[in-house]
Amino acid sequence: MTSSTTPIETGTGSSALRDRLDAVRQRIRTAERAAGRNPGSVKLVGVSKTVTRVEVDEAYRAGLRDFGENRVQNALETFADAVPDDLVLHLIGSLQTNKARFVPGTFDVVHSLDREALADELNKRCENANLTLPVLIQVNVAREEQKHGCLVEDLPGLIEATLTCPALLLSGFMTMAPLGTAAEEARPVFAAMRELQGRMQTQYPEVDFNELSMGMTNDYVAAIEEGATIVRVGRAIFADSAAG
């Protein structure tokens, strides 16, 4: 984020939240080892879309640096001021084209690029702000009608359109398993996304598709085992205050 202030004092925060955060981190480390992954290869994004700024600050004091918001308006309110320099804000929800103007200076990463019109608008807004924005393309691997994300067959076209946008840095993909799906039932979705990532890497060797954002509270361990590099966890950190 472009807003900055003196970092929040670390090492404190509510014991319950810190314990939950530590438990999630331990499960991530265990999943990394089980999958033969390097320690620290998976980034944890705390989904803060329904929590207060007080809870965000508690998580920050407990060492969390990456936070995910679903809606632009919520992010503008929660992170309106006193944002530490090293806090990274991810937009993980769908983005209306007319809200793209709020992205530069608010969000550091967008996980939900899903159409060419949005790529063009984000590029224009970021060029005007003289910023480069890391983006992930959201893919609707499960083909759910109610979910956002481009279809698998439309992915090459969206990749090519995004690569013509100089202010956007395409670094990988995001997907979601069907809501309410058990971890093992979600695994095929994650495996399909990992296989698709590999195919796109072969098709576009000039691009580093090194990020896979997939997995939430119910299924992030399975997602890590299937190749996730970013997991988006809310309820397991913030208890009943959060979703995700």
Side-chain angles (χ1 to χ4, degrees), residues 20-21 23-29 31 42 44 183 186 190 214-226 228 230-234 236-237 244:
R20 292 192 297 268
L21 180 57
V24 170
R25 287 169 169 155
Q26 182 57 52
R27 291 194 74 194
I28 290 173
R29 288 192 292 268
V42 177
L44 171 61
F190 302 144
M214 53 189 195
M216 300 189 295
T217 289
N218 288 339
D219 51 29
Y220 69 91
V221 170
I224 292 169
E225 292 171 350
E226 296 298 336
I230 302 170
V231 294
R232 311 177 305 270
V233 179
I237 297 171

PDB file of all heavy atoms in Angstrom, residues 20-21 23-29 31 42 44 183 186 190 214-226 228 230-234 236-237 244:
ATOM      1  N   ARG A  20      -4.393 -19.110  17.548  1.00  0.00           N
ATOM      2  CA  ARG A  20      -5.009 -19.608  16.315  1.00  0.00           C
ATOM      3  C   ARG A  20      -4.100 -19.396  15.118  1.00  0.00           C
ATOM      4  O   ARG A  20      -3.969 -20.281  14.248  1.00  0.00           O
ATOM      5  CB  ARG A  20      -6.359 -18.919  16.090  1.00  0.00           C
ATOM      6  CG  ARG A  20      -7.438 -19.297  17.105  1.00  0.00           C
ATOM      7  CD  ARG A  20      -8.809 -18.832  16.664  1.00  0.00           C
ATOM      8  NE  ARG A  20      -8.901 -17.384  16.553  1.00  0.00           N
ATOM      9  CZ  ARG A  20      -9.300 -16.577  17.533  1.00  0.00           C
ATOM     10  NH1 ARG A  20      -9.636 -17.076  18.722  1.00  0.00           N
ATOM     11  NH2 ARG A  20      -9.366 -15.270  17.347  1.00  0.00           N
ATOM     12  N   LEU A  21      -3.472 -18.238  15.062  1.00  0.00           N
ATOM     13  CA  LEU A  21      -2.557 -17.957  13.962  1.00  0.00           C
ATOM     14  C   LEU A  21      -1.374 -18.920  13.983  1.00  0.00           C
ATOM     15  O   LEU A  21      -0.960 -19.453  12.936  1.00  0.00           O
ATOM     16  CB  LEU A  21      -2.074 -16.504  14.049  1.00  0.00           C
ATOM     17  CG  LEU A  21      -1.113 -16.021  12.974  1.00  0.00           C
ATOM     18  CD1 LEU A  21      -1.698 -16.194  11.580  1.00  0.00           C
ATOM     19  CD2 LEU A  21      -0.750 -14.551  13.225  1.00  0.00           C
ATOM     20  N   ALA A  23      -1.370 -21.911  15.170  1.00  0.00           N
ATOM     21  CA  ALA A  23      -1.854 -23.240  14.782  1.00  0.00           C
ATOM     22  C   ALA A  23      -1.964 -23.362  13.265  1.00  0.00           C
ATOM     23  O   ALA A  23      -1.619 -24.402  12.682  1.00  0.00           O
ATOM     24  CB  ALA A  23      -3.214 -23.517  15.440  1.00  0.00           C
ATOM     25  N   VAL A  24      -2.444 -22.300  12.610  1.00  0.00           N
ATOM     26  CA  VAL A  24      -2.513 -22.312  11.146  1.00  0.00           C
ATOM     27  C   VAL A  24      -1.113 -22.402  10.554  1.00  0.00           C
ATOM     28  O   VAL A  24      -0.867 -23.186   9.621  1.00  0.00           O
ATOM     29  CB  VAL A  24      -3.248 -21.061  10.629  1.00  0.00           C
ATOM     30  CG1 VAL A  24      -3.119 -20.942   9.107  1.00  0.00           C
ATOM     31  CG2 VAL A  24      -4.714 -21.092  11.030  1.00  0.00           C
ATOM     32  N   ARG A  25      -0.194 -21.625  11.084  1.00  0.00           N
ATOM     33  CA  ARG A  25       1.182 -21.676  10.572  1.00  0.00           C
ATOM     34  C   ARG A  25       1.792 -23.063  10.737  1.00  0.00           C
ATOM     35  O   ARG A  25       2.499 -23.551   9.854  1.00  0.00           O
ATOM     36  CB  ARG A  25       2.041 -20.635  11.307  1.00  0.00           C
ATOM     37  CG  ARG A  25       1.746 -19.196  10.910  1.00  0.00           C
ATOM     38  CD  ARG A  25       2.431 -18.256  11.843  1.00  0.00           C
ATOM     39  NE  ARG A  25       2.400 -16.868  11.381  1.00  0.00           N
ATOM     40  CZ  ARG A  25       2.488 -15.822  12.175  1.00  0.00           C
ATOM     41  NH1 ARG A  25       2.606 -15.991  13.491  1.00  0.00           N
ATOM     42  NH2 ARG A  25       2.462 -14.598  11.681  1.00  0.00           N
ATOM     43  N   GLN A  26       1.508 -23.701  11.866  1.00  0.00           N
ATOM     44  CA  GLN A  26       2.043 -25.046  12.083  1.00  0.00           C
ATOM     45  C   GLN A  26       1.450 -26.033  11.091  1.00  0.00           C
ATOM     46  O   GLN A  26       2.161 -26.896  10.559  1.00  0.00           O
ATOM     47  CB  GLN A  26       1.753 -25.499  13.513  1.00  0.00           C
ATOM     48  CG  GLN A  26       2.327 -26.868  13.843  1.00  0.00           C
ATOM     49  CD  GLN A  26       3.821 -26.940  13.631  1.00  0.00           C
ATOM     50  OE1 GLN A  26       4.572 -26.110  14.126  1.00  0.00           O
ATOM     51  NE2 GLN A  26       4.283 -27.924  12.863  1.00  0.00           N
ATOM     52  N   ARG A  27       0.170 -25.931  10.816  1.00  0.00           N
ATOM     53  CA  ARG A  27      -0.453 -26.822   9.832  1.00  0.00           C
ATOM     54  C   ARG A  27       0.133 -26.581   8.441  1.00  0.00           C
ATOM     55  O   ARG A  27       0.308 -27.528   7.663  1.00  0.00           O
ATOM     56  CB  ARG A  27      -1.964 -26.616   9.802  1.00  0.00           C
ATOM     57  CG  ARG A  27      -2.691 -27.098  11.051  1.00  0.00           C
ATOM     58  CD  ARG A  27      -4.182 -27.177  10.795  1.00  0.00           C
ATOM     59  NE  ARG A  27      -4.509 -28.324   9.952  1.00  0.00           N
ATOM     60  CZ  ARG A  27      -5.686 -28.479   9.346  1.00  0.00           C
ATOM     61  NH1 ARG A  27      -6.625 -27.533   9.453  1.00  0.00           N
ATOM     62  NH2 ARG A  27      -5.926 -29.541   8.608  1.00  0.00           N
ATOM     63  N   ILE A  28       0.427 -25.338   8.129  1.00  0.00           N
ATOM     64  CA  ILE A  28       1.052 -25.035   6.837  1.00  0.00           C
ATOM     65  C   ILE A  28       2.436 -25.676   6.761  1.00  0.00           C
ATOM     66  O   ILE A  28       2.788 -26.304   5.749  1.00  0.00           O
ATOM     67  CB  ILE A  28       1.143 -23.510   6.618  1.00  0.00           C
ATOM     68  CG1 ILE A  28      -0.258 -22.933   6.379  1.00  0.00           C
ATOM     69  CG2 ILE A  28       2.069 -23.178   5.439  1.00  0.00           C
ATOM     70  CD1 ILE A  28      -0.298 -21.416   6.319  1.00  0.00           C
ATOM     71  N   ARG A  29       3.218 -25.541   7.827  1.00  0.00           N
ATOM     72  CA  ARG A  29       4.562 -26.145   7.830  1.00  0.00           C
ATOM     73  C   ARG A  29       4.483 -27.663   7.688  1.00  0.00           C
ATOM     74  O   ARG A  29       5.274 -28.277   6.962  1.00  0.00           O
ATOM     75  CB  ARG A  29       5.309 -25.759   9.110  1.00  0.00           C
ATOM     76  CG  ARG A  29       5.745 -24.300   9.151  1.00  0.00           C
ATOM     77  CD  ARG A  29       6.719 -24.042  10.284  1.00  0.00           C
ATOM     78  NE  ARG A  29       6.095 -24.174  11.594  1.00  0.00           N
ATOM     79  CZ  ARG A  29       5.551 -23.170  12.270  1.00  0.00           C
ATOM     80  NH1 ARG A  29       5.533 -21.944  11.741  1.00  0.00           N
ATOM     81  NH2 ARG A  29       5.012 -23.362  13.460  1.00  0.00           N
ATOM     82  N   ALA A  31       2.059 -29.378   6.271  1.00  0.00           N
ATOM     83  CA  ALA A  31       1.637 -29.688   4.905  1.00  0.00           C
ATOM     84  C   ALA A  31       2.788 -29.493   3.921  1.00  0.00           C
ATOM     85  O   ALA A  31       2.922 -30.269   2.960  1.00  0.00           O
ATOM     86  CB  ALA A  31       0.442 -28.820   4.517  1.00  0.00           C
ATOM     87  N   VAL A  42       4.930 -21.401   1.211  1.00  0.00           N
ATOM     88  CA  VAL A  42       3.508 -21.048   1.119  1.00  0.00           C
ATOM     89  C   VAL A  42       3.254 -19.762   1.901  1.00  0.00           C
ATOM     90  O   VAL A  42       3.612 -19.658   3.076  1.00  0.00           O
ATOM     91  CB  VAL A  42       2.618 -22.184   1.658  1.00  0.00           C
ATOM     92  CG1 VAL A  42       1.142 -21.764   1.629  1.00  0.00           C
ATOM     93  CG2 VAL A  42       2.830 -23.455   0.848  1.00  0.00           C
ATOM     94  N   LEU A  44       0.760 -17.145   3.703  1.00  0.00           N
ATOM     95  CA  LEU A  44      -0.529 -17.104   4.375  1.00  0.00           C
ATOM     96  C   LEU A  44      -1.129 -15.710   4.246  1.00  0.00           C
ATOM     97  O   LEU A  44      -0.521 -14.720   4.676  1.00  0.00           O
ATOM     98  CB  LEU A  44      -0.366 -17.462   5.851  1.00  0.00           C
ATOM     99  CG  LEU A  44      -1.591 -17.262   6.744  1.00  0.00           C
ATOM    100  CD1 LEU A  44      -2.748 -18.131   6.292  1.00  0.00           C
ATOM    101  CD2 LEU A  44      -1.236 -17.551   8.208  1.00  0.00           C
ATOM    102  N   ALA A 183     -12.474 -31.096   2.163  1.00  0.00           N
ATOM    103  CA  ALA A 183     -11.113 -30.956   1.649  1.00  0.00           C
ATOM    104  C   ALA A 183     -10.787 -31.972   0.566  1.00  0.00           C
ATOM    105  O   ALA A 183     -10.231 -31.632  -0.482  1.00  0.00           O
ATOM    106  CB  ALA A 183     -10.119 -31.055   2.799  1.00  0.00           C
ATOM    107  N   ALA A 186     -12.449 -31.211  -2.593  1.00  0.00           N
ATOM    108  CA  ALA A 186     -11.872 -30.035  -3.251  1.00  0.00           C
ATOM    109  C   ALA A 186     -10.558 -30.353  -3.944  1.00  0.00           C
ATOM    110  O   ALA A 186     -10.151 -29.648  -4.875  1.00  0.00           O
ATOM    111  CB  ALA A 186     -11.646 -28.922  -2.220  1.00  0.00           C
ATOM    112  N   PHE A 190      -8.090 -28.405  -7.093  1.00  0.00           N
ATOM    113  CA  PHE A 190      -6.748 -27.864  -6.925  1.00  0.00           C
ATOM    114  C   PHE A 190      -5.753 -28.568  -7.846  1.00  0.00           C
ATOM    115  O   PHE A 190      -4.875 -27.929  -8.443  1.00  0.00           O
ATOM    116  CB  PHE A 190      -6.297 -28.001  -5.473  1.00  0.00           C
ATOM    117  CG  PHE A 190      -7.208 -27.316  -4.478  1.00  0.00           C
ATOM    118  CD1 PHE A 190      -7.446 -27.868  -3.224  1.00  0.00           C
ATOM    119  CD2 PHE A 190      -7.834 -26.118  -4.790  1.00  0.00           C
ATOM    120  CE1 PHE A 190      -8.281 -27.245  -2.309  1.00  0.00           C
ATOM    121  CE2 PHE A 190      -8.674 -25.476  -3.888  1.00  0.00           C
ATOM    122  CZ  PHE A 190      -8.893 -26.051  -2.646  1.00  0.00           C
ATOM    123  N   MET A 214      -4.879 -20.717  -3.812  1.00  0.00           N
ATOM    124  CA  MET A 214      -6.019 -21.633  -3.668  1.00  0.00           C
ATOM    125  C   MET A 214      -5.976 -22.258  -2.280  1.00  0.00           C
ATOM    126  O   MET A 214      -4.907 -22.486  -1.718  1.00  0.00           O
ATOM    127  CB  MET A 214      -6.013 -22.710  -4.758  1.00  0.00           C
ATOM    128  CG  MET A 214      -4.751 -23.508  -4.928  1.00  0.00           C
ATOM    129  SD  MET A 214      -4.808 -24.557  -6.427  1.00  0.00           S
ATOM    130  CE  MET A 214      -3.418 -25.668  -6.080  1.00  0.00           C
ATOM    131  N   GLY A 215      -7.165 -22.492  -1.743  1.00  0.00           N
ATOM    132  CA  GLY A 215      -7.276 -23.067  -0.411  1.00  0.00           C
ATOM    133  C   GLY A 215      -7.718 -22.050   0.613  1.00  0.00           C
ATOM    134  O   GLY A 215      -7.158 -20.949   0.694  1.00  0.00           O
ATOM    135  N   MET A 216      -8.753 -22.427   1.397  1.00  0.00           N
ATOM    136  CA  MET A 216      -9.251 -21.588   2.471  1.00  0.00           C
ATOM    137  C   MET A 216      -9.305 -22.427   3.751  1.00  0.00           C
ATOM    138  O   MET A 216      -8.702 -23.497   3.820  1.00  0.00           O
ATOM    139  CB  MET A 216     -10.606 -20.999   2.098  1.00  0.00           C
ATOM    140  CG  MET A 216     -10.542 -20.133   0.839  1.00  0.00           C
ATOM    141  SD  MET A 216     -12.052 -19.182   0.484  1.00  0.00           S
ATOM    142  CE  MET A 216     -13.230 -20.481   0.168  1.00  0.00           C
ATOM    143  N   THR A 217      -9.993 -21.955   4.764  1.00  0.00           N
ATOM    144  CA  THR A 217      -9.955 -22.611   6.070  1.00  0.00           C
ATOM    145  C   THR A 217     -10.253 -24.104   5.983  1.00  0.00           C
ATOM    146  O   THR A 217      -9.576 -24.923   6.604  1.00  0.00           O
ATOM    147  CB  THR A 217     -10.931 -21.918   7.042  1.00  0.00           C
ATOM    148  OG1 THR A 217     -10.410 -20.627   7.395  1.00  0.00           O
ATOM    149  CG2 THR A 217     -11.112 -22.737   8.317  1.00  0.00           C
ATOM    150  N   ASN A 218     -11.266 -24.483   5.219  1.00  0.00           N
ATOM    151  CA  ASN A 218     -11.684 -25.886   5.193  1.00  0.00           C
ATOM    152  C   ASN A 218     -10.739 -26.799   4.416  1.00  0.00           C
ATOM    153  O   ASN A 218     -10.752 -28.017   4.631  1.00  0.00           O
ATOM    154  CB  ASN A 218     -13.090 -26.007   4.582  1.00  0.00           C
ATOM    155  CG  ASN A 218     -14.173 -25.483   5.501  1.00  0.00           C
ATOM    156  OD1 ASN A 218     -13.977 -25.375   6.707  1.00  0.00           O
ATOM    157  ND2 ASN A 218     -15.314 -25.154   4.925  1.00  0.00           N
ATOM    158  N   ASP A 219      -9.959 -26.217   3.501  1.00  0.00           N
ATOM    159  CA  ASP A 219      -9.241 -27.084   2.566  1.00  0.00           C
ATOM    160  C   ASP A 219      -7.818 -26.630   2.250  1.00  0.00           C
ATOM    161  O   ASP A 219      -7.222 -27.098   1.286  1.00  0.00           O
ATOM    162  CB  ASP A 219     -10.037 -27.208   1.260  1.00  0.00           C
ATOM    163  CG  ASP A 219     -10.451 -25.866   0.669  1.00  0.00           C
ATOM    164  OD1 ASP A 219      -9.734 -24.877   0.883  1.00  0.00           O
ATOM    165  OD2 ASP A 219     -11.479 -25.810  -0.029  1.00  0.00           O
ATOM    166  N   TYR A 220      -7.247 -25.713   3.053  1.00  0.00           N
ATOM    167  CA  TYR A 220      -5.936 -25.177   2.666  1.00  0.00           C
ATOM    168  C   TYR A 220      -4.819 -26.212   2.745  1.00  0.00           C
ATOM    169  O   TYR A 220      -3.835 -26.129   1.998  1.00  0.00           O
ATOM    170  CB  TYR A 220      -5.585 -23.917   3.463  1.00  0.00           C
ATOM    171  CG  TYR A 220      -5.303 -24.100   4.938  1.00  0.00           C
ATOM    172  CD1 TYR A 220      -4.020 -24.343   5.404  1.00  0.00           C
ATOM    173  CD2 TYR A 220      -6.323 -23.973   5.876  1.00  0.00           C
ATOM    174  CE1 TYR A 220      -3.759 -24.474   6.762  1.00  0.00           C
ATOM    175  CE2 TYR A 220      -6.077 -24.099   7.219  1.00  0.00           C
ATOM    176  CZ  TYR A 220      -4.794 -24.350   7.666  1.00  0.00           C
ATOM    177  OH  TYR A 220      -4.537 -24.478   9.012  1.00  0.00           O
ATOM    178  N   VAL A 221      -4.953 -27.212   3.612  1.00  0.00           N
ATOM    179  CA  VAL A 221      -3.923 -28.259   3.672  1.00  0.00           C
ATOM    180  C   VAL A 221      -3.913 -29.056   2.366  1.00  0.00           C
ATOM    181  O   VAL A 221      -2.845 -29.297   1.780  1.00  0.00           O
ATOM    182  CB  VAL A 221      -4.150 -29.177   4.882  1.00  0.00           C
ATOM    183  CG1 VAL A 221      -3.236 -30.404   4.801  1.00  0.00           C
ATOM    184  CG2 VAL A 221      -3.887 -28.416   6.182  1.00  0.00           C
ATOM    185  N   ALA A 222      -5.085 -29.452   1.887  1.00  0.00           N
ATOM    186  CA  ALA A 222      -5.160 -30.161   0.608  1.00  0.00           C
ATOM    187  C   ALA A 222      -4.639 -29.295  -0.522  1.00  0.00           C
ATOM    188  O   ALA A 222      -3.960 -29.786  -1.439  1.00  0.00           O
ATOM    189  CB  ALA A 222      -6.598 -30.589   0.331  1.00  0.00           C
ATOM    190  N   ALA A 223      -4.931 -27.996  -0.472  1.00  0.00           N
ATOM    191  CA  ALA A 223      -4.457 -27.091  -1.523  1.00  0.00           C
ATOM    192  C   ALA A 223      -2.933 -27.022  -1.543  1.00  0.00           C
ATOM    193  O   ALA A 223      -2.313 -27.035  -2.616  1.00  0.00           O
ATOM    194  CB  ALA A 223      -5.046 -25.697  -1.318  1.00  0.00           C
ATOM    195  N   ILE A 224      -2.319 -26.968  -0.367  1.00  0.00           N
ATOM    196  CA  ILE A 224      -0.856 -26.953  -0.297  1.00  0.00           C
ATOM    197  C   ILE A 224      -0.284 -28.231  -0.869  1.00  0.00           C
ATOM    198  O   ILE A 224       0.684 -28.223  -1.641  1.00  0.00           O
ATOM    199  CB  ILE A 224      -0.391 -26.747   1.160  1.00  0.00           C
ATOM    200  CG1 ILE A 224      -0.751 -25.334   1.636  1.00  0.00           C
ATOM    201  CG2 ILE A 224       1.114 -26.990   1.293  1.00  0.00           C
ATOM    202  CD1 ILE A 224      -0.578 -25.126   3.122  1.00  0.00           C
ATOM    203  N   GLU A 225      -0.889 -29.336  -0.523  1.00  0.00           N
ATOM    204  CA  GLU A 225      -0.403 -30.626  -1.026  1.00  0.00           C
ATOM    205  C   GLU A 225      -0.536 -30.730  -2.540  1.00  0.00           C
ATOM    206  O   GLU A 225       0.199 -31.488  -3.183  1.00  0.00           O
ATOM    207  CB  GLU A 225      -1.159 -31.758  -0.340  1.00  0.00           C
ATOM    208  CG  GLU A 225      -0.834 -31.866   1.146  1.00  0.00           C
ATOM    209  CD  GLU A 225      -1.726 -32.843   1.896  1.00  0.00           C
ATOM    210  OE1 GLU A 225      -2.732 -33.310   1.306  1.00  0.00           O
ATOM    211  OE2 GLU A 225      -1.433 -33.125   3.078  1.00  0.00           O
ATOM    212  N   GLU A 226      -1.449 -29.938  -3.114  1.00  0.00           N
ATOM    213  CA  GLU A 226      -1.638 -29.952  -4.564  1.00  0.00           C
ATOM    214  C   GLU A 226      -0.915 -28.800  -5.266  1.00  0.00           C
ATOM    215  O   GLU A 226      -1.082 -28.627  -6.468  1.00  0.00           O
ATOM    216  CB  GLU A 226      -3.130 -29.915  -4.904  1.00  0.00           C
ATOM    217  CG  GLU A 226      -3.894 -31.137  -4.435  1.00  0.00           C
ATOM    218  CD  GLU A 226      -3.407 -32.434  -5.074  1.00  0.00           C
ATOM    219  OE1 GLU A 226      -2.825 -32.372  -6.182  1.00  0.00           O
ATOM    220  OE2 GLU A 226      -3.608 -33.508  -4.467  1.00  0.00           O
ATOM    221  N   ALA A 228      -0.476 -25.249  -3.958  1.00  0.00           N
ATOM    222  CA  ALA A 228      -0.751 -23.848  -3.642  1.00  0.00           C
ATOM    223  C   ALA A 228       0.503 -23.163  -3.114  1.00  0.00           C
ATOM    224  O   ALA A 228       1.245 -23.732  -2.315  1.00  0.00           O
ATOM    225  CB  ALA A 228      -1.871 -23.744  -2.604  1.00  0.00           C
ATOM    226  N   ILE A 230      -0.101 -19.761  -2.206  1.00  0.00           N
ATOM    227  CA  ILE A 230      -0.797 -18.778  -1.374  1.00  0.00           C
ATOM    228  C   ILE A 230      -2.080 -19.420  -0.883  1.00  0.00           C
ATOM    229  O   ILE A 230      -2.835 -19.990  -1.688  1.00  0.00           O
ATOM    230  CB  ILE A 230      -1.143 -17.498  -2.163  1.00  0.00           C
ATOM    231  CG1 ILE A 230       0.109 -16.848  -2.761  1.00  0.00           C
ATOM    232  CG2 ILE A 230      -1.886 -16.494  -1.272  1.00  0.00           C
ATOM    233  CD1 ILE A 230      -0.205 -15.723  -3.739  1.00  0.00           C
ATOM    234  N   VAL A 231      -2.333 -19.352   0.416  1.00  0.00           N
ATOM    235  CA  VAL A 231      -3.610 -19.811   0.959  1.00  0.00           C
ATOM    236  C   VAL A 231      -4.307 -18.631   1.622  1.00  0.00           C
ATOM    237  O   VAL A 231      -3.663 -17.756   2.195  1.00  0.00           O
ATOM    238  CB  VAL A 231      -3.443 -20.986   1.947  1.00  0.00           C
ATOM    239  CG1 VAL A 231      -2.936 -22.219   1.219  1.00  0.00           C
ATOM    240  CG2 VAL A 231      -2.498 -20.632   3.097  1.00  0.00           C
ATOM    241  N   ARG A 232      -5.634 -18.624   1.548  1.00  0.00           N
ATOM    242  CA  ARG A 232      -6.440 -17.503   2.025  1.00  0.00           C
ATOM    243  C   ARG A 232      -7.301 -18.001   3.185  1.00  0.00           C
ATOM    244  O   ARG A 232      -8.301 -18.681   2.971  1.00  0.00           O
ATOM    245  CB  ARG A 232      -7.311 -16.978   0.884  1.00  0.00           C
ATOM    246  CG  ARG A 232      -6.522 -16.748  -0.412  1.00  0.00           C
ATOM    247  CD  ARG A 232      -7.411 -16.289  -1.562  1.00  0.00           C
ATOM    248  NE  ARG A 232      -8.527 -17.177  -1.848  1.00  0.00           N
ATOM    249  CZ  ARG A 232      -8.483 -18.198  -2.696  1.00  0.00           C
ATOM    250  NH1 ARG A 232      -7.363 -18.505  -3.327  1.00  0.00           N
ATOM    251  NH2 ARG A 232      -9.562 -18.930  -2.900  1.00  0.00           N
ATOM    252  N   VAL A 233      -6.910 -17.660   4.398  1.00  0.00           N
ATOM    253  CA  VAL A 233      -7.526 -18.251   5.591  1.00  0.00           C
ATOM    254  C   VAL A 233      -8.124 -17.150   6.457  1.00  0.00           C
ATOM    255  O   VAL A 233      -7.426 -16.205   6.836  1.00  0.00           O
ATOM    256  CB  VAL A 233      -6.486 -19.063   6.390  1.00  0.00           C
ATOM    257  CG1 VAL A 233      -7.130 -19.662   7.642  1.00  0.00           C
ATOM    258  CG2 VAL A 233      -5.876 -20.162   5.520  1.00  0.00           C
ATOM    259  N   GLY A 234      -9.402 -17.291   6.775  1.00  0.00           N
ATOM    260  CA  GLY A 234     -10.074 -16.310   7.615  1.00  0.00           C
ATOM    261  C   GLY A 234     -10.526 -16.876   8.942  1.00  0.00           C
ATOM    262  O   GLY A 234     -10.016 -16.525   9.999  1.00  0.00           O
ATOM    263  N   ALA A 236     -10.172 -19.670  10.560  1.00  0.00           N
ATOM    264  CA  ALA A 236      -9.222 -20.367  11.427  1.00  0.00           C
ATOM    265  C   ALA A 236      -8.320 -19.397  12.180  1.00  0.00           C
ATOM    266  O   ALA A 236      -7.746 -19.753  13.209  1.00  0.00           O
ATOM    267  CB  ALA A 236      -8.364 -21.334  10.598  1.00  0.00           C
ATOM    268  N   ILE A 237      -8.221 -18.164  11.708  1.00  0.00           N
ATOM    269  CA  ILE A 237      -7.417 -17.134  12.386  1.00  0.00           C
ATOM    270  C   ILE A 237      -8.290 -16.240  13.250  1.00  0.00           C
ATOM    271  O   ILE A 237      -8.005 -16.020  14.425  1.00  0.00           O
ATOM    272  CB  ILE A 237      -6.647 -16.276  11.371  1.00  0.00           C
ATOM    273  CG1 ILE A 237      -5.648 -17.130  10.577  1.00  0.00           C
ATOM    274  CG2 ILE A 237      -5.932 -15.118  12.062  1.00  0.00           C
ATOM    275  CD1 ILE A 237      -5.008 -16.403   9.412  1.00  0.00           C
ATOM    276  N   GLY A 244     -14.059 -17.527   5.191  1.00  0.00           N
ATOM    277  CA  GLY A 244     -12.934 -17.908   4.322  1.00  0.00           C
ATOM    278  C   GLY A 244     -12.014 -18.913   4.966  1.00  0.00           C
ATOM    279  O   GLY A 244     -11.846 -18.969   6.153  1.00  0.00           O
TER     280      GLY A 244
END
